[in-house]
Amino acid sequence: MERFQDVGETEARLLKRPGVLPMLRCLGGNSPYLAALAARERDVICRLTAEGPAVAFAHSLSSLNQVPSSARRPDVAAALRRAKRCGALIAAIADIGGIWPLENLTGALSELAEATLKLAIRHLLCSAHDTGEIRLQDSKRPDLNCGFVALAMGKLGAAELNYSSDVDLVLLYDSTAAVYSGGRAADRVGSFTSRVARDLVTLMEARDANGYVFRTDLRLRPDPAATPPAVSLHAALIYYETMGQNWERAAMIKARPIAGDIPLGHRFLGAIRPFVWRRGLDFAAVADIHAMKRRIDAAKKTALAGTDDPVARIAGHDVKLGEGGIREIEFLVQTLQIVWGGRDPTLRVKPTLLALVRLVETSHLAEAARCQLEEAYRFLRRVEHRIQMVNDHQIHKLPEAAHEMIQIARFMGYPDAGAFALDFLRHVSIVRSNYRAVFEHVPDLPGIEAVGPELDFRGDDLQPAGTITALNGLGYQDPKRIILTIRQWLAGRVRALRSSRAQEIMTTMVSSILVTLARQPNPDEAFTRFDRFMSALPAGIQPMSLFQRNPILLDRIAAVLGAAPMLSEHLARHPTALEGLLATQDKVDVRRMLRSQMADAATLEDVIQVVRRTVKERDFFLSVATLEGRLDADASGRQRTALAEAALSFLLPHVLADFASRFGRVPGGAFAVVTMGKAGGREMMAGSDLDLMFVYDHPADVSESCGGRSLPTSQWFVRAVQACIAALTAPGPEGKMFELDTRLRPSGNKGPIAVSLEGFKHYHKWDSWTWERMALTRARVVAGPAALRLRVDQAIEIAIRRQQDPSQIRINAKTMRERMARELRPHGPWDVKLRAGGLIDIEFIAQTLQLIHANDAGFRRRQTTHLALKLLAEVGVISRSDANLLINAGRLWRTIQGMLRMTVGRVEATVLPHASTLPLLRAAAKAGVAAVDADHLLEKSAKIAEHVRMIYERHVGKSGQ
């Protein structure tokens, strides 16, 4: 303060302003470095106290903009160093004084580093241009297409730079850039860029009377021990495509171009996106990253001291790398991003605190854990900054000397070292517990001895007595076959287990797999299906890591394998469906899910792939949730229908845009999509077709499309609809997205695939059959421009309300039902759809009565059958008792039909497999019909069907009448 006061009257007067004297005492009493800065940069103190830290910091950065890139190097170096001194002083005061939160502090330091790097690289490029080594496109804008870029990594990449941090950079160059071919460096681009890299490091970190700018670390580049300081774009791409490791994927999460040829940096990051963000869930990365952390722990001896004295425990502890430190928070966050970010681009954010928020939003982290980790992160970063502010040293360890610990405690605002130590230990403990929850329950990968003494599959003994006894005890009937199969797994005879690492993971999992499968009603059959699943996998590390990290997933798969042969076969054919089971919520916003995943979709094929994968995985999830009893038929039907509608809403605009790029657009024209059948009634179940109708409209004076290869309007719409159908049914690794049925359009298969709105109106006014208008009672317009959707919906209402004698409607409905009974006979006692008194009869009752009463005052159509029956009862068309019986019967029929589709498929016999009967009985009981076994359920179903048939005959008609 004496040095500051003795400078002049202005400084003496400044000390009298409120808060200035305590601020300078704080700097002088805690940090020799900051005290020296305050004495040297007095104008900064004046500006900061007068205008605030934000204005003062902006002014210090603006001074860099006044330095021309062509200035002398000593002048550039001096300007860079003064900007650093001023910025560091302002940031420290704003932090210590509590003016800036952590984000502002680290953001300002990162902005300072970015500005200095931009000027330094521009200066170096301009110097090379002046000496004729390169030819810049524009010497006044040296970084324009310069073919040289600095990628910020680590904390600078995430704009989280700490107070005395170095800056981690990866320097890349494009040897094909025009700037190199026009100068003397054309034949030695590599050596030229290496010299630029070395000059950059010198310019940034060389110390002189003005200080230094930032220490610069280039070791995060590809294979730093064998590559020059600046790496060619081509070499970097090859490295990451062939040799990149999981820790490098995590490092690239934070990468961003900050200086030089920014577009080049973005192109590079776009090219390696598949390396960083893999489409499949990557739980294998968890073990890799945890192994790297354990190596750091072993090398740095990061554990807390083993003593009861809190201060002694933390003495010398590394705030960054130590147990419960900053790095554990960062590893936790980056690992979860690596695992889930390939599927959800919303997780691809760089700042740690923002990533924590996104992980909560996507249900991959509990909100309570986020709050704990955020509080600890802010605290630990503050400790880190105070340690570094003392002498501007890049250190992360707390002092070991008692008097120095007291100084840090006071610098942190604590009365003594003990209070600080207790708070520090609390935060470290919270971080450690959260870190262990993510990492440390992952089993190590030992050798084959891990299978244990009871289940030992080593050696070549065909009948190892202990293992056979153990398998028999678990309930397996054919232990010899199981032993042979597992030995083939562990020997790599299965494609997915050919790598040694896959075999190691399987070795640790064998016991768990066998015990889990043994809980099923028929363990041998469940094991056989698991073997088929393993044989179908293209690789084993990822699926086995999934099971390791998510034990409940193994339980769910075992239940599927034990009870649902149909789902098991689907899983064997499409193993990627496994990832869909990791969803943590039964109900999700599918539109949001699709929207977030569209970030990687550059082409129509990409869009189709994203939508198809999401639909198939979600469909499998809904099937398993229904099998497990978490969803009933109504909830499952609503969610499957919402899934289909979301797929349509996202996919069709992309298909039409692609189609229009080739064939133009019809001016003023558009088409709407109408769902029919189960989709229209929001009652889709496993295996349901998607019944669609496409209705288009356009101005009468428009006869052809404009742009591209023009087509007549009717042909344009037909071909556009065909493109939409092709996209919806295109097969992929997951199978087809949907099976479509468009036969409910006017004239069925004989009519055009796309029908004009006027044609639709005319057909239903003069030519449609009663059953076609009955089908319209379930029609819903789900896609298309709002105005057209309204007109199509009005046309549907007019068609339904077409005047017709009620007795004729009944006769026509009964005739159609009788025809169906002749041509589509029930395939067995479990065919609850086609049997007399089954699902078709209930739907015919609802649809017939809605047609008959369509013109009644206050009539409101309901597409969902049980809602239609409820409304018909409310207006007195049908008794409430009959409506309730039909509603309950419909729910039971959909429950039985859906469950059988998922488990055994089409059943002609009376007897069901025992394992498949259990979930059926549970679901039937939930639907209101409890039964002790399958025969009992059939008996109760027959009585219910009789009552349904009686109601059908009352309201539609008896056969033969």
Side-chain angles (χ1 to χ4, degrees):
M1 287 187 297
E2 292 175 356
R3 291 166 57 194
F4 193 89
Q5 188 173 9
D6 291 343
V7 170
E9 293 183 6
T10 302
E11 287 74 13
R13 285 196 304 271
L14 183 62
L15 289 177
K16 297 179 182 179
R17 297 185 61 176
V20 175
L21 190 58
M23 174 185 73
L24 292 176
R25 281 176 174 166
C26 177
L27 299 183
N30 290 286
S31 170
Y33 168 69
L34 292 176
L37 280 186
R40 180 170 182 173
E41 305 298 338
R42 298 178 301 279
D43 59 327
V44 170
I45 299 294
C46 294
R47 179 171 285 107
L48 187 149
T49 55
E51 300 176 326
V55 174
F57 190 84
H59 182 270
S60 69
L61 287 187
S62 67
S63 64
L64 291 177
N65 297 329
Q66 309 304 316
V67 181
S69 303
S70 58
R72 294 171 57 250
R73 186 155 304 179
D75 296 336
V76 172
L80 293 172
R81 280 152 179 77
R82 183 164 197 277
K84 169 63 185 296
R85 293 195 306 273
C86 296
L89 178 59
I90 295 166
I93 293 173
D95 179 42
I96 296 167
I99 303 171
W100 281 355
L102 175 65
E103 294 89 337
N104 289 41
L105 171 66
T106 57
L109 293 170
S110 301
E111 187 179 2
L112 174 62
E114 185 172 343
T116 56
L117 283 165
K118 284 181 184 294
L119 176 57
I121 288 179
R122 286 170 180 162
H123 167 71
L124 294 172
L125 292 171
C126 197
S127 297
H129 173 80
D130 291 342
T131 59
E133 291 184 282
I134 60 174
R135 281 288 174 264
L136 295 173
Q137 183 173 322
D138 184 346
S139 60
K140 295 182 180 179
R141 294 188 295 164
D143 42 15
L144 180 64
N145 297 326
C146 66
F148 184 88
V149 64
L151 296 182
M153 308 291 287
K155 287 186 168 60
L156 177 56
E160 297 173 333
L161 209 59
N162 59 47
Y163 192 76
S164 295
S165 177
D166 57 6
V167 291
D168 294 304
L169 302 177
V170 171
L171 302 178
L172 301 173
Y173 66 91
D174 181 3
S175 59
T176 66
V179 296
Y180 301 119
S181 60
R184 295 198 313 272
D187 297 328
R188 46 187 179 85
V189 177
S191 60
F192 166 75
T193 52
S194 292
R195 191 178 76 250
V196 170
R198 289 190 291 270
D199 289 346
L200 175 64
V201 172
T202 300
L203 187 55
M204 294 295 290
E205 67 177 27
R207 292 179 180 269
D208 57 24
N210 293 315
Y212 73 104
V213 192
F214 286 97
R215 288 172 292 271
T216 307
D217 191 338
L218 305 180
R219 290 175 297 175
L220 287 181
R221 69 184 184 274
D223 197 7
T227 55
V231 182
S232 75
L233 182 67
H234 178 68
L237 291 175
I238 291 178
Y239 173 83
Y240 289 118
E241 289 172 359
T242 58
M243 301 174 62
Q245 301 179 51
N246 279 323
W247 72 265
E248 291 173 302
R249 294 172 58 206
M252 279 296 170
I253 291 176
K254 297 183 181 294
R256 65 184 176 101
I258 60 165
D261 194 337
I262 302 296
L264 172 63
H266 286 302
R267 289 199 301 274
F268 169 74
L269 293 178
I272 66 166
R273 186 182 295 127
F275 161 71
V276 180
W277 305 109
R278 295 174 181 170
R279 288 189 180 275
L281 294 178
D282 192 9
F283 279 96
V286 178
D288 278 355
I289 294 174
H290 183 47
M292 182 176 68
K293 178 63 169 62
R294 284 184 298 189
R295 290 193 295 272
I296 293 173
D297 292 344
K300 302 288 186 180
K301 297 181 173 59
T302 58
L304 289 161
T307 176
D308 294 333
D309 180 4
V311 177
R313 283 197 73 194
I314 70 171
H317 190 68
D318 195 315
V319 177
K320 177 182 178 182
L321 299 179
E323 176 184 342
I326 296 168
R327 182 57 54 86
E328 289 193 357
I329 300 174
E330 293 172 339
F331 271 21
L332 183 153
V333 171
Q334 291 170 20
T335 300
L336 292 177
Q337 287 180 284
I338 285 289
V339 170
W340 299 100
R343 295 163 56 88
D344 189 348
T346 62
L347 293 172
R348 302 175 193 176
V349 294
K350 304 180 192 310
T352 301
L353 295 179
L354 177 57
L356 283 170
V357 172
R358 293 288 174 82
L359 288 167
V360 172
E361 291 174 349
T362 52
S363 302
H364 301 309
L365 186 71
E367 171 63 14
R370 184 201 68 79
C371 292
Q372 290 179 338
L373 291 170
E374 177 175 336
E375 182 185 3
Y377 183 77
R378 292 182 183 278
F379 174 83
L380 293 171
R381 290 300 301 271
R382 194 156 61 95
V383 174
E384 177 187 47
H385 291 154
R386 295 298 185 274
I387 295 171
Q388 295 176 349
M389 285 176 184
V390 174
N391 286 304
D392 190 30
H393 291 163
Q394 190 191 5
I395 57 175
H396 305 278
K397 288 186 177 181
L398 289 166
E400 296 187 7
H403 70 281
E404 292 180 351
M405 184 69 80
I406 293 173
Q407 289 178 342
I408 291 296
R410 289 175 177 169
F411 203 5
M412 285 288 295
Y414 288 86
D416 54 58
F420 168 66
L422 289 174
D423 218 7
F424 185 89
L425 288 170
R426 179 177 67 85
H427 286 294
V428 166
S429 175
I430 288 172
V431 173
R432 192 63 179 171
S433 63
N434 281 280
Y435 181 83
R436 284 173 175 159
V438 172
F439 287 97
E440 295 191 356
H441 72 273
V442 180
D444 290 330
L445 303 179
I448 198 165
E449 68 274 8
V451 295
E454 294 83 8
L455 292 172
D456 188 349
F457 299 98
R458 294 173 293 185
D460 55 6
D461 184 356
L462 298 179
Q463 300 186 47
T467 302
I468 288 179
T469 300
L471 290 171
N472 284 332
L474 289 172
Y476 291 98
Q477 302 299 311
D478 191 358
K480 294 180 183 178
R481 179 178 64 86
I482 291 172
I483 291 169
L484 177 62
T485 301
I486 291 176
R487 284 177 174 171
Q488 289 175 338
W489 290 353
L490 300 179
R493 306 256 175 93
V494 176
R495 176 178 56 172
L497 300 174
R498 286 175 184 165
S499 72
S500 59
R501 185 174 178 193
Q503 293 167 30
E504 289 173 345
I505 300 176
M506 173 56 81
T507 298
T508 68
M509 295 296 298
V510 164
S511 297
S512 296
I513 291 169
L514 289 172
V515 170
T516 305
L517 295 176
R519 299 192 192 109
Q520 304 309 307
N522 189 331
D524 291 83
E525 192 171 342
F527 179 85
T528 299
R529 291 172 186 152
F530 189 85
D531 180 44
R532 282 206 295 270
F533 167 69
M534 289 301 305
S535 300
L537 289 172
I541 294 176
Q542 297 298 342
M544 290 301 100
S545 298
L546 277 176
F547 290 141
Q548 261 190 337
R549 293 283 309 146
N550 300 272
I552 194 172
L553 181 62
L554 186 57
D555 289 331
R556 301 185 73 186
I557 290 299
V560 170
L561 299 175
M566 297 299 291
L567 290 180
S568 301
E569 288 302 316
H570 174 82
L571 188 61
R573 290 194 302 270
H574 311 295
T576 56
L578 179 69
E579 296 181 359
L581 296 185
L582 290 175
T584 56
Q585 298 175 327
D586 288 341
K587 188 172 183 179
V588 300
D589 185 345
V590 182
R591 292 176 187 269
R592 179 191 173 281
M593 183 190 303
L594 285 170
R595 192 179 303 113
S596 68
Q597 295 184 13
M598 286 298 168
D600 286 339
T603 65
L604 176 60
E605 288 70 23
D606 294 337
V607 173
I608 294 173
Q609 184 177 359
V610 168
V611 176
R612 180 175 56 228
R613 184 180 68 241
T614 302
V615 166
K616 300 304 290 186
E617 288 181 1
R618 187 64 187 168
D619 180 75
F620 187 72
F621 171 88
L622 293 173
S623 293
V624 175
T626 305
L627 183 72
E628 294 171 338
R630 300 203 317 275
L631 292 176
D632 62 18
D634 290 340
S636 175
R638 289 191 295 270
Q639 289 205 39
R640 288 185 195 278
T641 306
L643 177 64
E645 291 178 22
L648 287 168
S649 67
F650 271 87
L651 185 58
L652 297 190
H654 291 277
V655 175
L656 292 178
D658 177 78
F659 184 79
S661 69
R662 290 174 286 130
F663 300 103
R665 294 185 181 274
V666 175
F671 70 73
V673 182
V674 183
T675 56
M676 311 280 284
K678 290 284 192 294
R682 296 186 176 89
E683 297 170 338
M684 293 182 73
M685 61 182 69
S688 288
D689 290 345
L690 183 57
D691 296 302
L692 297 180
M693 178 168 58
F694 298 87
V695 182
Y696 68 87
D697 194 24
H698 62 85
D701 58 346
V702 176
S703 60
E704 63 181 13
S705 62
C706 294
R709 291 177 288 166
S710 62
L711 294 172
T713 51
S714 59
Q715 187 178 353
W716 189 95
F717 282 108
V718 167
R719 293 182 66 171
V721 168
Q722 288 172 338
C724 293
I725 292 173
L728 289 165
T729 58
E734 310 86 355
K736 288 184 178 181
M737 190 185 310
F738 294 107
E739 293 289 348
L740 294 192
D741 189 342
T742 60
R743 292 174 297 175
L744 292 178
R745 66 186 187 272
S747 301
N749 286 338
K750 296 179 181 178
I753 197 71
V755 59
S756 70
L757 180 57
E758 291 305 313
F760 176 89
K761 292 177 179 178
H762 183 275
Y763 179 82
H764 281 288
K765 182 176 182 180
W766 303 106
D767 301 322
S768 63
W769 296 79
T770 299
W771 69 265
E772 291 178 296
R773 290 167 50 236
M774 289 169 59
L776 284 181
T777 62
R778 307 183 79 183
R780 282 189 308 115
V781 189
V782 298
L788 178 58
R789 290 174 64 172
L790 179 61
R791 295 201 302 275
V792 172
D793 193 60
Q794 290 170 343
I796 291 171
E797 291 296 330
I798 291 172
I800 291 171
R801 294 171 185 267
R802 194 180 91 191
Q803 291 289 346
Q804 190 175 8
D805 180 50
S807 61
Q808 190 61 50
I809 293 175
R810 287 190 170 91
I811 291 171
N812 293 345
K814 184 172 66 69
T815 301
M816 173 54 69
R817 181 67 184 96
E818 290 171 349
R819 178 182 174 184
M820 291 178 67
R822 291 192 303 271
E823 297 179 0
L824 300 172
R825 295 184 177 278
H827 51 71
W830 291 104
D831 190 344
V832 295
K833 177 181 178 181
L834 294 176
R835 68 175 299 169
L839 195 56
I840 293 294
D841 281 359
I842 296 173
E843 291 172 350
F844 264 56
I845 294 169
Q847 293 167 19
T848 300
L849 293 180
Q850 286 197 94
L851 274 194
I852 289 172
H853 295 277
N855 289 295
D856 290 359
F859 170 79
R860 290 172 296 162
R861 175 172 62 101
R862 291 290 183 269
Q863 294 96 338
T864 305
T865 301
H866 72 87
L867 295 179
L869 291 168
K870 182 180 179 181
L871 182 62
L872 290 167
E874 289 174 356
V875 298
V877 172
I878 189 173
S879 71
R880 292 187 181 275
S881 60
D882 281 355
N884 289 335
L885 189 146
L886 293 173
I887 290 170
N888 292 332
R891 184 177 297 112
L892 176 64
W893 298 155
R894 286 182 286 111
T895 297
I896 293 174
Q897 184 183 19
M899 193 62 69
L900 292 179
R901 282 185 178 182
M902 292 184 293
T903 54
V904 293
R906 177 169 170 159
V907 182
E908 298 184 359
T910 302
V911 180
L912 296 177
H914 176 64
S916 302
T917 301
L918 297 178
L920 174 62
L921 295 177
R922 286 197 301 267
K926 193 172 182 180
V929 180
V932 297
D933 55 27
D935 289 339
H936 192 203
L937 181 58
L938 273 180
E939 181 183 338
K940 287 193 169 186
S941 297
K943 292 180 181 179
I944 293 171
E946 290 177 6
H947 290 294
V948 171
R949 190 63 182 180
M950 289 171 59
I951 298 172
Y952 170 85
E953 291 177 347
R954 274 203 304 274
H955 290 283
V956 181
K958 293 183 179 180
S959 298
Q961 288 185 340

